[in-house]
Amino acid sequence: MSRLALHRLRYELVKFWRDPQAVFFTVALPVVFLVIFASIFGNETLDERSGLKVSTYYVPGIIALGVMSAAFVGLAIALVEQRERGILKRLRATPLPVGAYIASRAAVAVLLTALITVVLTLIGWALYGVTIPSDRAPGLLLTLAVGTAAFCCLGFALSGMVGSANAAPAVANMIMLPLQMISGIFFPVDQIPDAVLTVAQVFPVYHLAQGLLEGFDPNGAAGGIDPTAIAVLLAWGTVGMLVALRTFRWEPQSR
């Protein structure tokens, strides 16, 4: 990453941490969800055959929620806000290359995702005894990387389709919340009707959550890798990138 991109990255990080609302909804809220769900259901066994505890199920599920908050919802909102305030337009007149700005914005999402993952994993280990089997760690990291990249692409794509800063939070959450509800984030997938689950499996939210679960489940796929999840996330990331190339705008759209 170039010096200009690093300078922009530092600015974006400082700006983020000085926004209490952004910090709460991106970093603190996943922690709150994990503590609530794991405290209520953590000692129950999700699957008698595998012995998988509900707390082990919820840690990767809430990590997936954190990835979406940082790489999709938060990214899209920030991009629309900066565009509508004329910041992106002014940036085009500076020496900062377009690629450097995009890299800096994506890097913010990646760093926040890493922080959320570490915090939630440590809480899961310290409070509920949730661990990552050593042979599953590479698969978990791969799924996390692919999932973060895919949702970043989708976040850039969404920002180009939202016309105002006021609408951005509502639109982003209107997309994510229903998908999270039907994709096994808040409820185990065996409690979701088959017809609803079939719909969920079309979208990347379900596959991110299930792909991350493979990294925590000692009885999961070899190496902690769910090939279907990786393939679907790559496909959605590619679609998001292609849409972003056509829809991303630097000029304010609501004026």
Side-chain angles (χ1 to χ4, degrees):
M1 189 178 289
S2 69
R3 182 176 60 84
L4 288 174
L6 288 172
H7 177 77
R8 186 68 197 181
L9 172 60
R10 286 193 294 270
Y11 169 81
E12 296 289 352
L13 286 172
V14 170
K15 180 177 179 293
F16 172 83
W17 288 110
R18 289 180 177 176
D19 184 346
Q21 184 176 351
V23 172
F24 175 78
F25 283 103
T26 305
V27 180
L29 191 58
V31 174
V32 172
F33 278 136
L34 175 60
V35 172
I36 290 174
F37 285 107
S39 295
I40 295 174
F41 305 111
N43 290 327
E44 296 183 8
T45 300
L46 183 66
D47 187 337
E48 295 293 344
R49 291 171 299 178
S50 65
L52 184 68
K53 296 290 186 180
V54 174
S55 55
T56 303
Y57 179 89
Y58 274 119
V59 170
I62 302 301
I63 289 175
L65 183 148
V67 171
M68 290 176 272
S69 295
F72 180 77
V73 177
L75 177 61
I77 292 172
L79 289 170
V80 174
E81 178 190 9
Q82 291 187 356
R83 185 192 69 210
E84 295 308 305
R85 290 174 57 191
I87 294 174
L88 296 188
K89 180 180 178 180
R90 293 195 293 273
L91 283 174
R92 290 297 301 271
T94 70
L96 181 68
V98 171
Y101 172 76
I102 292 174
S104 68
R105 283 298 332 172
V108 171
V110 170
L111 291 174
L112 291 176
T113 293
L115 173 63
I116 293 167
T117 301
V118 170
V119 170
L120 293 176
T121 301
L122 288 176
I123 291 174
W125 169 74
L127 298 183
Y128 311 109
V130 178
T131 60
I132 303 173
S134 58
D135 63 330
R136 300 289 190 268
L140 175 64
L141 292 175
L142 175 63
T143 304
L144 193 63
V146 174
T148 301
F151 278 97
C152 278
C153 291
L154 292 169
F156 275 102
L158 179 64
S159 71
M161 294 185 285
V162 177
S164 72
N166 290 334
V171 173
N173 284 293
M174 183 178 67
I175 294 171
M176 277 295 101
L177 286 176
L179 289 176
Q180 290 167 354
M181 295 291 290
I182 68 173
S183 298
I185 300 295
F186 300 116
F187 309 103
V189 293
D190 61 359
Q191 298 179 14
I192 300 173
D194 291 341
V196 175
L197 199 59
T198 299
V199 174
Q201 290 171 350
V202 175
F203 298 97
V205 178
Y206 170 87
H207 294 280
L208 177 61
Q210 295 304 303
L212 292 176
L213 178 60
E214 294 292 346
F216 283 82
D217 186 356
N219 300 300
I225 298 176
D226 183 341
T228 301
I230 297 295
V232 173
L233 289 170
L234 286 173
W236 273 97
T238 301
V239 170
M241 181 176 63
L242 293 175
V243 172
L245 290 172
R246 294 182 60 87
T247 64
F248 189 78
R249 299 290 183 266
W250 298 86
E251 302 280 338
Q253 302 296 297
S254 58
R255 297 180 184 177

